[in-house]
Amino acid sequence: MTAAKQFDIVIVGGGAAGIATASSLLSRAAHMAIAVIEPADRHYYQPGWTMVGAGIFSAASTAKTTAAVMPAGVTWIKQAVTEFSPDDNEIGLADGSTVGYERLVVCPGLKLNWAGVEGLEDNLGRNGVTSNYSFKTAPYTWDLVQNLKSGKALFTQPPMPIKCAGAPQKALYLSADHWHRSGTLNNIDVGFFTATPSLFGVAHYVPALMKYVEKYGAELHFEHTLTKIDGATKIATFTRADGEEVQSDFDMIHVCPPQCAPDFIRQSPLVDEAGWVDVDPATLQSRRYENVWALGDVMNAPNAKTAAAARAQAPVVATNLLQHAGLNTGMGHYNGYGSCPLTVERGKIVLAEFGYGGKLLPSFPKWLIDGQYPSVLAWLLKARALPWIYWNAMLKGREWLVKPALGAEESS
Ligand SMILES: Cc1cc2nc3c(=O)[nH]c(=O)nc-3n(C[C@H](O)[C@H](O)[C@H](O)COP(=O)(O)OP(=O)(O)OC[C@H]3O[C@@H](n4cnc5c(N)ncnc54)[C@H](O)[C@@H]3O)c2cc1C
């Protein structure tokens, strides 16, 4: 292949990670020819969808046009990438054309595998079946919650890894909080069915969460994976870790779909056995191709897949890529930081912030926000500050609290 278009840097995906990386690169090297390849017209602030599902944000407030977030100075190629040829430094696009690069950044997010649960696609958005994992159906969660006065409400979580592993239980807490406040909780059975063996991956936060599980009378079912939904009879089927099938009826069910790397990534030469882009967890450089980096939900570092993680990763990738290009920016190292603001009730959040190995990495002193306790300030952070920080800092290359501490090592 000989690509018609050539760029110094090509970024695959213009989501949270892609736009942040483009801006971080431009803030360091404005002269570089950078292309962002992104097929979608709209860019979403996905962390806002939990709040949409609880009637706190409007869906519209979580979306902007892709044109509005694309940094001035980059070339936007409005196409989907279909193929990687890293030995030729080229990628193939859906329209059959190719694009060549000196250096490549891969960040097309992950695939929500709605088809992985039988009957889910057919019922999503009706028959009491909803999900905050989709812009289209997050408002339906709030409709269902407001209209349910008695009956059974189920909330499900698939096997890890998933993006924002706290989001399935955030939906439970905010729904149950509404029923608690409106005096109907006593008439509603709340169940949480998760494929995982515990409530949250970092034990430090579990006691605070358990207090809310008890307050809302939620029944926990660990190691239960949702496999089927029958919308007509309103029956959900789960497979337990011991292989046994169990069923539960429901009046509403909030589903977090199974997740995996996108198909065109899994078929590429960039990936590990599980299909995620294989990177060094500290430098985020590909372990296979020295002029390729990956960040965001698509890669295999063992951090929590969150926008907060992408916010910390983008400056590291920008720094290391430019170091590799000979611009002496130094080397940045990512410590696995990710954040999960667990909305335990309207007005309070248990703020989980941690890095690799579950190491606690709080951004605030304990007297201001202590992650072991629900916090009003953390709620204000999520409801007011973080959306603003996302649109106006992260996507614009303002690296507040995430400027990489630079080491002197050479890039490989
Ligand atoms: C309900 C919910 C709640 C969440 N809550 C939080 C939270 O509280 N805090 C937090 O930090 N994070 C949260 N997240 C997670 C966060 O939104 C993601 O981790 C983050 O968006 C990942 O960024 P990304 O750029 O890797 O992927 P995305 O932002 O998903 O962007 C991927 C981009 O790649 C594009 N793309 C796809 N295929 C191709 C292709 N073939 N070619 C080119 N481009 C392509 C897509 O169109 C998209 O624009 C939540 C997510 C959800 C769904």
Side-chain angles (χ1 to χ4, degrees), residues 12-17 37-40 46-47 49-50 80-81 107-109 132-133 163-164 167 170 264 296-297 305-308 339 341 382:
V12 178
I37 306 185
E38 168 58 63
Q46 298 170 37
W49 294 349
T50 294
V81 173
C107 47
N132 289 346
Y133 275 73
K163 57 178 156 186
C164 195
K170 293 184 204 175
F264 77 106
D297 295 345
K305 293 188 186 299
T306 56
S339 153
K382 165 102 186 149

PDB file of all heavy atoms in Angstrom, residues 12-17 37-40 46-47 49-50 80-81 107-109 132-133 163-164 167 170 264 296-297 305-308 339 341 382, ligand 1:
ATOM      1  N   VAL A  12      -6.277   7.384  16.115  1.00  0.00           N
ATOM      2  CA  VAL A  12      -7.468   6.592  15.750  1.00  0.00           C
ATOM      3  C   VAL A  12      -8.493   6.726  16.871  1.00  0.00           C
ATOM      4  O   VAL A  12      -8.304   6.201  17.970  1.00  0.00           O
ATOM      5  CB  VAL A  12      -7.088   5.111  15.546  1.00  0.00           C
ATOM      6  CG1 VAL A  12      -8.331   4.280  15.227  1.00  0.00           C
ATOM      7  CG2 VAL A  12      -6.052   4.975  14.435  1.00  0.00           C
ATOM      8  N   GLY A  13      -9.577   7.467  16.598  1.00  0.00           N
ATOM      9  CA  GLY A  13     -10.633   7.678  17.593  1.00  0.00           C
ATOM     10  C   GLY A  13     -10.573   9.076  18.172  1.00  0.00           C
ATOM     11  O   GLY A  13      -9.550   9.493  18.706  1.00  0.00           O
ATOM     12  N   GLY A  14     -11.689   9.785  18.064  1.00  0.00           N
ATOM     13  CA  GLY A  14     -11.772  11.157  18.600  1.00  0.00           C
ATOM     14  C   GLY A  14     -12.720  11.214  19.783  1.00  0.00           C
ATOM     15  O   GLY A  14     -13.552  12.109  19.904  1.00  0.00           O
ATOM     16  N   GLY A  15     -12.586  10.236  20.689  1.00  0.00           N
ATOM     17  CA  GLY A  15     -13.364  10.252  21.931  1.00  0.00           C
ATOM     18  C   GLY A  15     -12.594  10.999  23.007  1.00  0.00           C
ATOM     19  O   GLY A  15     -11.771  11.881  22.716  1.00  0.00           O
ATOM     20  N   ALA A  16     -12.850  10.622  24.256  1.00  0.00           N
ATOM     21  CA  ALA A  16     -12.207  11.298  25.384  1.00  0.00           C
ATOM     22  C   ALA A  16     -10.689  11.262  25.244  1.00  0.00           C
ATOM     23  O   ALA A  16      -9.995  12.289  25.363  1.00  0.00           O
ATOM     24  CB  ALA A  16     -12.632  10.613  26.686  1.00  0.00           C
ATOM     25  N   ALA A  17     -10.142  10.066  24.966  1.00  0.00           N
ATOM     26  CA  ALA A  17      -8.689   9.907  24.915  1.00  0.00           C
ATOM     27  C   ALA A  17      -8.090  10.571  23.677  1.00  0.00           C
ATOM     28  O   ALA A  17      -7.037  11.217  23.753  1.00  0.00           O
ATOM     29  CB  ALA A  17      -8.343   8.412  24.927  1.00  0.00           C
ATOM     30  N   ILE A  37      -8.784  10.426  13.235  1.00  0.00           N
ATOM     31  CA  ILE A  37      -9.734   9.678  12.401  1.00  0.00           C
ATOM     32  C   ILE A  37     -10.908   9.281  13.286  1.00  0.00           C
ATOM     33  O   ILE A  37     -10.744   8.538  14.271  1.00  0.00           O
ATOM     34  CB  ILE A  37      -9.063   8.440  11.784  1.00  0.00           C
ATOM     35  CG1 ILE A  37      -7.799   8.895  11.051  1.00  0.00           C
ATOM     36  CG2 ILE A  37     -10.030   7.732  10.842  1.00  0.00           C
ATOM     37  CD1 ILE A  37      -7.092   7.835  10.292  1.00  0.00           C
ATOM     38  N   GLU A  38     -12.067   9.825  12.982  1.00  0.00           N
ATOM     39  CA  GLU A  38     -13.253   9.652  13.848  1.00  0.00           C
ATOM     40  C   GLU A  38     -14.502   9.669  12.969  1.00  0.00           C
ATOM     41  O   GLU A  38     -14.790  10.673  12.326  1.00  0.00           O
ATOM     42  CB  GLU A  38     -13.294  10.794  14.877  1.00  0.00           C
ATOM     43  CG  GLU A  38     -14.593  10.914  15.659  1.00  0.00           C
ATOM     44  CD  GLU A  38     -14.975   9.655  16.439  1.00  0.00           C
ATOM     45  OE1 GLU A  38     -14.234   9.270  17.340  1.00  0.00           O
ATOM     46  OE2 GLU A  38     -16.039   9.069  16.097  1.00  0.00           O
ATOM     47  N   PRO A  39     -15.259   8.564  12.940  1.00  0.00           N
ATOM     48  CA  PRO A  39     -16.426   8.517  12.057  1.00  0.00           C
ATOM     49  C   PRO A  39     -17.672   9.226  12.593  1.00  0.00           C
ATOM     50  O   PRO A  39     -18.573   9.568  11.820  1.00  0.00           O
ATOM     51  CB  PRO A  39     -16.701   7.011  11.929  1.00  0.00           C
ATOM     52  CG  PRO A  39     -16.151   6.414  13.189  1.00  0.00           C
ATOM     53  CD  PRO A  39     -15.002   7.282  13.614  1.00  0.00           C
ATOM     54  N   ALA A  40     -17.739   9.454  13.907  1.00  0.00           N
ATOM     55  CA  ALA A  40     -19.012   9.918  14.495  1.00  0.00           C
ATOM     56  C   ALA A  40     -19.163  11.435  14.421  1.00  0.00           C
ATOM     57  O   ALA A  40     -18.192  12.178  14.537  1.00  0.00           O
ATOM     58  CB  ALA A  40     -19.087   9.461  15.954  1.00  0.00           C
ATOM     59  N   GLN A  46     -19.606  10.621  28.416  1.00  0.00           N
ATOM     60  CA  GLN A  46     -20.295   9.418  28.899  1.00  0.00           C
ATOM     61  C   GLN A  46     -20.455   9.376  30.424  1.00  0.00           C
ATOM     62  O   GLN A  46     -21.457   8.835  30.922  1.00  0.00           O
ATOM     63  CB  GLN A  46     -19.566   8.156  28.408  1.00  0.00           C
ATOM     64  CG  GLN A  46     -19.529   8.023  26.897  1.00  0.00           C
ATOM     65  CD  GLN A  46     -18.604   6.897  26.432  1.00  0.00           C
ATOM     66  OE1 GLN A  46     -18.494   5.845  27.044  1.00  0.00           O
ATOM     67  NE2 GLN A  46     -17.920   7.136  25.322  1.00  0.00           N
ATOM     68  N   PRO A  47     -19.497   9.923  31.204  1.00  0.00           N
ATOM     69  CA  PRO A  47     -19.709   9.894  32.656  1.00  0.00           C
ATOM     70  C   PRO A  47     -21.001  10.591  33.083  1.00  0.00           C
ATOM     71  O   PRO A  47     -21.537  10.312  34.161  1.00  0.00           O
ATOM     72  CB  PRO A  47     -18.477  10.628  33.207  1.00  0.00           C
ATOM     73  CG  PRO A  47     -17.411  10.378  32.180  1.00  0.00           C
ATOM     74  CD  PRO A  47     -18.147  10.409  30.859  1.00  0.00           C
ATOM     75  N   TRP A  49     -23.874  10.089  31.787  1.00  0.00           N
ATOM     76  CA  TRP A  49     -25.066   9.268  31.542  1.00  0.00           C
ATOM     77  C   TRP A  49     -25.644   8.662  32.826  1.00  0.00           C
ATOM     78  O   TRP A  49     -26.838   8.406  32.907  1.00  0.00           O
ATOM     79  CB  TRP A  49     -24.752   8.173  30.511  1.00  0.00           C
ATOM     80  CG  TRP A  49     -24.445   8.744  29.155  1.00  0.00           C
ATOM     81  CD1 TRP A  49     -24.633  10.052  28.755  1.00  0.00           C
ATOM     82  CD2 TRP A  49     -23.889   8.066  28.030  1.00  0.00           C
ATOM     83  NE1 TRP A  49     -24.215  10.212  27.452  1.00  0.00           N
ATOM     84  CE2 TRP A  49     -23.761   9.017  26.986  1.00  0.00           C
ATOM     85  CE3 TRP A  49     -23.474   6.762  27.789  1.00  0.00           C
ATOM     86  CZ2 TRP A  49     -23.242   8.695  25.728  1.00  0.00           C
ATOM     87  CZ3 TRP A  49     -22.965   6.428  26.546  1.00  0.00           C
ATOM     88  CH2 TRP A  49     -22.853   7.376  25.523  1.00  0.00           C
ATOM     89  N   THR A  50     -24.793   8.439  33.835  1.00  0.00           N
ATOM     90  CA  THR A  50     -25.307   7.999  35.144  1.00  0.00           C
ATOM     91  C   THR A  50     -26.267   9.052  35.692  1.00  0.00           C
ATOM     92  O   THR A  50     -27.318   8.726  36.261  1.00  0.00           O
ATOM     93  CB  THR A  50     -24.125   7.818  36.129  1.00  0.00           C
ATOM     94  OG1 THR A  50     -23.314   6.740  35.666  1.00  0.00           O
ATOM     95  CG2 THR A  50     -24.599   7.533  37.543  1.00  0.00           C
ATOM     96  N   ALA A  80     -14.201   5.591   9.424  1.00  0.00           N
ATOM     97  CA  ALA A  80     -13.857   4.551  10.402  1.00  0.00           C
ATOM     98  C   ALA A  80     -12.594   3.843   9.930  1.00  0.00           C
ATOM     99  O   ALA A  80     -12.442   3.556   8.739  1.00  0.00           O
ATOM    100  CB  ALA A  80     -14.994   3.552  10.522  1.00  0.00           C
ATOM    101  N   VAL A  81     -11.697   3.563  10.848  1.00  0.00           N
ATOM    102  CA  VAL A  81     -10.522   2.747  10.527  1.00  0.00           C
ATOM    103  C   VAL A  81     -10.974   1.292  10.465  1.00  0.00           C
ATOM    104  O   VAL A  81     -11.779   0.838  11.280  1.00  0.00           O
ATOM    105  CB  VAL A  81      -9.429   2.921  11.607  1.00  0.00           C
ATOM    106  CG1 VAL A  81      -8.268   1.960  11.389  1.00  0.00           C
ATOM    107  CG2 VAL A  81      -8.943   4.358  11.627  1.00  0.00           C
ATOM    108  N   CYS A 107      -6.834   4.776  19.972  1.00  0.00           N
ATOM    109  CA  CYS A 107      -7.764   4.976  21.105  1.00  0.00           C
ATOM    110  C   CYS A 107      -9.227   5.013  20.641  1.00  0.00           C
ATOM    111  O   CYS A 107      -9.929   5.998  20.886  1.00  0.00           O
ATOM    112  CB  CYS A 107      -7.406   6.230  21.894  1.00  0.00           C
ATOM    113  SG  CYS A 107      -7.079   7.690  20.899  1.00  0.00           S
ATOM    114  N   PRO A 108      -9.706   3.929  20.016  1.00  0.00           N
ATOM    115  CA  PRO A 108     -11.117   3.902  19.578  1.00  0.00           C
ATOM    116  C   PRO A 108     -12.090   3.359  20.627  1.00  0.00           C
ATOM    117  O   PRO A 108     -13.214   2.979  20.286  1.00  0.00           O
ATOM    118  CB  PRO A 108     -11.058   2.980  18.358  1.00  0.00           C
ATOM    119  CG  PRO A 108      -9.981   1.996  18.707  1.00  0.00           C
ATOM    120  CD  PRO A 108      -8.978   2.737  19.573  1.00  0.00           C
ATOM    121  N   GLY A 109     -11.682   3.313  21.902  1.00  0.00           N
ATOM    122  CA  GLY A 109     -12.610   2.874  22.942  1.00  0.00           C
ATOM    123  C   GLY A 109     -12.860   1.377  22.886  1.00  0.00           C
ATOM    124  O   GLY A 109     -12.078   0.618  22.310  1.00  0.00           O
ATOM    125  N   ASN A 132     -27.909   2.699  31.226  1.00  0.00           N
ATOM    126  CA  ASN A 132     -27.247   4.009  31.187  1.00  0.00           C
ATOM    127  C   ASN A 132     -26.017   3.980  30.287  1.00  0.00           C
ATOM    128  O   ASN A 132     -25.374   5.008  30.085  1.00  0.00           O
ATOM    129  CB  ASN A 132     -26.800   4.422  32.602  1.00  0.00           C
ATOM    130  CG  ASN A 132     -27.981   4.783  33.484  1.00  0.00           C
ATOM    131  OD1 ASN A 132     -29.093   4.974  32.992  1.00  0.00           O
ATOM    132  ND2 ASN A 132     -27.740   4.873  34.785  1.00  0.00           N
ATOM    133  N   TYR A 133     -25.673   2.808  29.753  1.00  0.00           N
ATOM    134  CA  TYR A 133     -24.499   2.702  28.867  1.00  0.00           C
ATOM    135  C   TYR A 133     -24.796   3.178  27.448  1.00  0.00           C
ATOM    136  O   TYR A 133     -23.927   3.079  26.573  1.00  0.00           O
ATOM    137  CB  TYR A 133     -23.956   1.264  28.863  1.00  0.00           C
ATOM    138  CG  TYR A 133     -23.007   1.054  30.019  1.00  0.00           C
ATOM    139  CD1 TYR A 133     -23.484   0.945  31.317  1.00  0.00           C
ATOM    140  CD2 TYR A 133     -21.626   1.023  29.833  1.00  0.00           C
ATOM    141  CE1 TYR A 133     -22.617   0.811  32.394  1.00  0.00           C
ATOM    142  CE2 TYR A 133     -20.752   0.880  30.899  1.00  0.00           C
ATOM    143  CZ  TYR A 133     -21.252   0.776  32.174  1.00  0.00           C
ATOM    144  OH  TYR A 133     -20.384   0.655  33.233  1.00  0.00           O
ATOM    145  N   LYS A 163     -15.960  -0.572  31.131  1.00  0.00           N
ATOM    146  CA  LYS A 163     -15.656   0.830  31.433  1.00  0.00           C
ATOM    147  C   LYS A 163     -16.497   1.279  32.627  1.00  0.00           C
ATOM    148  O   LYS A 163     -17.647   0.883  32.771  1.00  0.00           O
ATOM    149  CB  LYS A 163     -15.843   1.737  30.225  1.00  0.00           C
ATOM    150  CG  LYS A 163     -17.187   1.743  29.557  1.00  0.00           C
ATOM    151  CD  LYS A 163     -17.144   2.760  28.417  1.00  0.00           C
ATOM    152  CE  LYS A 163     -18.141   2.482  27.339  1.00  0.00           C
ATOM    153  NZ  LYS A 163     -17.984   3.391  26.184  1.00  0.00           N
ATOM    154  N   CYS A 164     -15.891   2.074  33.455  1.00  0.00           N
ATOM    155  CA  CYS A 164     -16.490   2.553  34.695  1.00  0.00           C
ATOM    156  C   CYS A 164     -17.194   1.438  35.455  1.00  0.00           C
ATOM    157  O   CYS A 164     -18.421   1.360  35.485  1.00  0.00           O
ATOM    158  CB  CYS A 164     -17.441   3.713  34.479  1.00  0.00           C
ATOM    159  SG  CYS A 164     -17.773   4.519  36.065  1.00  0.00           S
ATOM    160  N   ALA A 167     -20.349   2.020  37.444  1.00  0.00           N
ATOM    161  CA  ALA A 167     -21.602   2.549  36.881  1.00  0.00           C
ATOM    162  C   ALA A 167     -22.814   1.631  37.073  1.00  0.00           C
ATOM    163  O   ALA A 167     -23.916   2.126  37.322  1.00  0.00           O
ATOM    164  CB  ALA A 167     -21.403   2.906  35.408  1.00  0.00           C
ATOM    165  N   LYS A 170     -23.922   2.357  40.508  1.00  0.00           N
ATOM    166  CA  LYS A 170     -24.374   3.748  40.650  1.00  0.00           C
ATOM    167  C   LYS A 170     -25.841   3.850  40.244  1.00  0.00           C
ATOM    168  O   LYS A 170     -26.631   4.556  40.869  1.00  0.00           O
ATOM    169  CB  LYS A 170     -23.566   4.679  39.741  1.00  0.00           C
ATOM    170  CG  LYS A 170     -22.100   4.833  40.088  1.00  0.00           C
ATOM    171  CD  LYS A 170     -21.486   5.857  39.139  1.00  0.00           C
ATOM    172  CE  LYS A 170     -20.012   5.697  38.966  1.00  0.00           C
ATOM    173  NZ  LYS A 170     -19.432   6.607  37.967  1.00  0.00           N
ATOM    174  N   PHE A 264     -12.293  -4.510  14.764  1.00  0.00           N
ATOM    175  CA  PHE A 264     -11.139  -4.198  13.890  1.00  0.00           C
ATOM    176  C   PHE A 264      -9.842  -4.131  14.697  1.00  0.00           C
ATOM    177  O   PHE A 264      -8.763  -4.282  14.139  1.00  0.00           O
ATOM    178  CB  PHE A 264     -11.382  -2.886  13.106  1.00  0.00           C
ATOM    179  CG  PHE A 264     -11.195  -1.626  13.897  1.00  0.00           C
ATOM    180  CD1 PHE A 264     -10.071  -0.830  13.710  1.00  0.00           C
ATOM    181  CD2 PHE A 264     -12.132  -1.214  14.832  1.00  0.00           C
ATOM    182  CE1 PHE A 264      -9.883   0.338  14.427  1.00  0.00           C
ATOM    183  CE2 PHE A 264     -11.954  -0.052  15.565  1.00  0.00           C
ATOM    184  CZ  PHE A 264     -10.835   0.725  15.372  1.00  0.00           C
ATOM    185  N   GLY A 296      -6.715   4.933  26.764  1.00  0.00           N
ATOM    186  CA  GLY A 296      -8.175   4.852  26.885  1.00  0.00           C
ATOM    187  C   GLY A 296      -8.623   3.408  27.063  1.00  0.00           C
ATOM    188  O   GLY A 296      -7.845   2.529  27.446  1.00  0.00           O
ATOM    189  N   ASP A 297      -9.893   3.172  26.772  1.00  0.00           N
ATOM    190  CA  ASP A 297     -10.513   1.877  27.077  1.00  0.00           C
ATOM    191  C   ASP A 297      -9.947   0.715  26.258  1.00  0.00           C
ATOM    192  O   ASP A 297     -10.137  -0.447  26.621  1.00  0.00           O
ATOM    193  CB  ASP A 297     -12.029   1.950  26.816  1.00  0.00           C
ATOM    194  CG  ASP A 297     -12.740   2.909  27.761  1.00  0.00           C
ATOM    195  OD1 ASP A 297     -12.136   3.294  28.782  1.00  0.00           O
ATOM    196  OD2 ASP A 297     -13.898   3.265  27.462  1.00  0.00           O
ATOM    197  N   LYS A 305     -10.941   1.425  33.591  1.00  0.00           N
ATOM    198  CA  LYS A 305     -11.221   2.067  32.294  1.00  0.00           C
ATOM    199  C   LYS A 305     -12.186   3.227  32.523  1.00  0.00           C
ATOM    200  O   LYS A 305     -13.397   3.034  32.625  1.00  0.00           O
ATOM    201  CB  LYS A 305     -11.816   1.047  31.321  1.00  0.00           C
ATOM    202  CG  LYS A 305     -10.828  -0.049  30.912  1.00  0.00           C
ATOM    203  CD  LYS A 305     -11.403  -0.913  29.817  1.00  0.00           C
ATOM    204  CE  LYS A 305     -10.520  -2.101  29.473  1.00  0.00           C
ATOM    205  NZ  LYS A 305      -9.179  -1.770  28.993  1.00  0.00           N
ATOM    206  N   THR A 306     -11.641   4.420  32.628  1.00  0.00           N
ATOM    207  CA  THR A 306     -12.443   5.609  32.921  1.00  0.00           C
ATOM    208  C   THR A 306     -11.915   6.807  32.128  1.00  0.00           C
ATOM    209  O   THR A 306     -10.768   6.799  31.675  1.00  0.00           O
ATOM    210  CB  THR A 306     -12.360   5.979  34.423  1.00  0.00           C
ATOM    211  OG1 THR A 306     -10.982   6.148  34.783  1.00  0.00           O
ATOM    212  CG2 THR A 306     -12.984   4.916  35.310  1.00  0.00           C
ATOM    213  N   ALA A 307     -12.757   7.840  32.000  1.00  0.00           N
ATOM    214  CA  ALA A 307     -12.309   9.085  31.373  1.00  0.00           C
ATOM    215  C   ALA A 307     -11.222   9.724  32.232  1.00  0.00           C
ATOM    216  O   ALA A 307     -10.294  10.365  31.724  1.00  0.00           O
ATOM    217  CB  ALA A 307     -13.490  10.036  31.200  1.00  0.00           C
ATOM    218  N   ALA A 308     -11.340   9.525  33.554  1.00  0.00           N
ATOM    219  CA  ALA A 308     -10.324  10.060  34.469  1.00  0.00           C
ATOM    220  C   ALA A 308      -8.962   9.446  34.156  1.00  0.00           C
ATOM    221  O   ALA A 308      -7.927  10.126  34.221  1.00  0.00           O
ATOM    222  CB  ALA A 308     -10.721   9.766  35.910  1.00  0.00           C
ATOM    223  N   SER A 339     -10.484   6.968  38.289  1.00  0.00           N
ATOM    224  CA  SER A 339     -11.366   7.453  39.344  1.00  0.00           C
ATOM    225  C   SER A 339     -12.784   7.001  39.077  1.00  0.00           C
ATOM    226  O   SER A 339     -13.218   6.928  37.928  1.00  0.00           O
ATOM    227  CB  SER A 339     -11.273   8.981  39.386  1.00  0.00           C
ATOM    228  OG  SER A 339     -12.463   9.518  39.883  1.00  0.00           O
ATOM    229  N   PRO A 341     -16.401   7.951  40.708  1.00  0.00           N
ATOM    230  CA  PRO A 341     -17.248   8.624  41.704  1.00  0.00           C
ATOM    231  C   PRO A 341     -18.553   7.844  41.886  1.00  0.00           C
ATOM    232  O   PRO A 341     -19.427   7.895  41.033  1.00  0.00           O
ATOM    233  CB  PRO A 341     -17.510  10.008  41.080  1.00  0.00           C
ATOM    234  CG  PRO A 341     -16.854   9.998  39.726  1.00  0.00           C
ATOM    235  CD  PRO A 341     -16.477   8.596  39.391  1.00  0.00           C
ATOM    236  N   LYS A 382     -18.583  16.014  40.928  1.00  0.00           N
ATOM    237  CA  LYS A 382     -19.159  15.236  39.817  1.00  0.00           C
ATOM    238  C   LYS A 382     -20.258  16.027  39.084  1.00  0.00           C
ATOM    239  O   LYS A 382     -20.323  16.024  37.854  1.00  0.00           O
ATOM    240  CB  LYS A 382     -19.737  13.930  40.374  1.00  0.00           C
ATOM    241  CG  LYS A 382     -20.672  13.173  39.454  1.00  0.00           C
ATOM    242  CD  LYS A 382     -19.994  12.012  38.806  1.00  0.00           C
ATOM    243  CE  LYS A 382     -20.877  11.320  37.771  1.00  0.00           C
ATOM    244  NZ  LYS A 382     -20.121  10.735  36.697  1.00  0.00           N
TER     245      LYS A 382
HETATM  246  C1  LIG B   1     -22.560   4.914  31.919  1.00  0.00           C
HETATM  247  C2  LIG B   1     -21.118   5.312  31.978  1.00  0.00           C
HETATM  248  C3  LIG B   1     -20.630   5.948  33.101  1.00  0.00           C
HETATM  249  C4  LIG B   1     -19.300   6.330  33.183  1.00  0.00           C
HETATM  250  N1  LIG B   1     -18.877   6.991  34.286  1.00  0.00           N
HETATM  251  C5  LIG B   1     -17.602   7.447  34.352  1.00  0.00           C
HETATM  252  C6  LIG B   1     -17.182   8.245  35.443  1.00  0.00           C
HETATM  253  O1  LIG B   1     -17.942   8.522  36.371  1.00  0.00           O
HETATM  254  N2  LIG B   1     -15.898   8.682  35.466  1.00  0.00           N
HETATM  255  C7  LIG B   1     -15.036   8.398  34.449  1.00  0.00           C
HETATM  256  O2  LIG B   1     -13.904   8.859  34.491  1.00  0.00           O
HETATM  257  N3  LIG B   1     -15.400   7.618  33.397  1.00  0.00           N
HETATM  258  C8  LIG B   1     -16.675   7.145  33.315  1.00  0.00           C
HETATM  259  N4  LIG B   1     -17.079   6.407  32.230  1.00  0.00           N
HETATM  260  C9  LIG B   1     -16.069   5.844  31.296  1.00  0.00           C
HETATM  261  C10 LIG B   1     -15.561   6.812  30.238  1.00  0.00           C
HETATM  262  O3  LIG B   1     -16.624   7.414  29.558  1.00  0.00           O
HETATM  263  C11 LIG B   1     -14.653   6.066  29.262  1.00  0.00           C
HETATM  264  O4  LIG B   1     -13.689   5.343  29.988  1.00  0.00           O
HETATM  265  C12 LIG B   1     -13.957   7.025  28.306  1.00  0.00           C
HETATM  266  O5  LIG B   1     -14.913   7.653  27.476  1.00  0.00           O
HETATM  267  C13 LIG B   1     -12.916   6.286  27.467  1.00  0.00           C
HETATM  268  O6  LIG B   1     -12.373   7.129  26.497  1.00  0.00           O
HETATM  269  P1  LIG B   1     -11.922   6.532  25.071  1.00  0.00           P
HETATM  270  O7  LIG B   1     -11.473   7.703  24.260  1.00  0.00           O
HETATM  271  O8  LIG B   1     -11.024   5.390  25.252  1.00  0.00           O
HETATM  272  O9  LIG B   1     -13.265   5.944  24.443  1.00  0.00           O
HETATM  273  P2  LIG B   1     -14.529   6.767  23.940  1.00  0.00           P
HETATM  274  O10 LIG B   1     -14.667   8.029  24.698  1.00  0.00           O
HETATM  275  O11 LIG B   1     -15.657   5.788  23.953  1.00  0.00           O
HETATM  276  O12 LIG B   1     -14.174   7.181  22.447  1.00  0.00           O
HETATM  277  C14 LIG B   1     -13.868   6.252  21.428  1.00  0.00           C
HETATM  278  C15 LIG B   1     -14.009   6.967  20.094  1.00  0.00           C
HETATM  279  O13 LIG B   1     -13.492   6.124  19.058  1.00  0.00           O
HETATM  280  C16 LIG B   1     -14.358   6.197  17.936  1.00  0.00           C
HETATM  281  N5  LIG B   1     -14.231   4.993  17.114  1.00  0.00           N
HETATM  282  C17 LIG B   1     -14.843   3.801  17.289  1.00  0.00           C
HETATM  283  N6  LIG B   1     -14.537   2.972  16.276  1.00  0.00           N
HETATM  284  C18 LIG B   1     -13.701   3.641  15.462  1.00  0.00           C
HETATM  285  C19 LIG B   1     -13.046   3.309  14.230  1.00  0.00           C
HETATM  286  N7  LIG B   1     -13.224   2.130  13.643  1.00  0.00           N
HETATM  287  N8  LIG B   1     -12.238   4.234  13.653  1.00  0.00           N
HETATM  288  C20 LIG B   1     -12.063   5.462  14.249  1.00  0.00           C
HETATM  289  N9  LIG B   1     -12.681   5.831  15.393  1.00  0.00           N
HETATM  290  C21 LIG B   1     -13.488   4.930  15.990  1.00  0.00           C
HETATM  291  C22 LIG B   1     -15.741   6.341  18.561  1.00  0.00           C
HETATM  292  O14 LIG B   1     -16.676   6.880  17.646  1.00  0.00           O
HETATM  293  C23 LIG B   1     -15.467   7.268  19.741  1.00  0.00           C
HETATM  294  O15 LIG B   1     -15.615   8.615  19.402  1.00  0.00           O
HETATM  295  C24 LIG B   1     -18.420   6.037  32.103  1.00  0.00           C
HETATM  296  C25 LIG B   1     -18.912   5.416  30.948  1.00  0.00           C
HETATM  297  C26 LIG B   1     -20.246   5.062  30.879  1.00  0.00           C
HETATM  298  C27 LIG B   1     -20.773   4.406  29.619  1.00  0.00           C
END
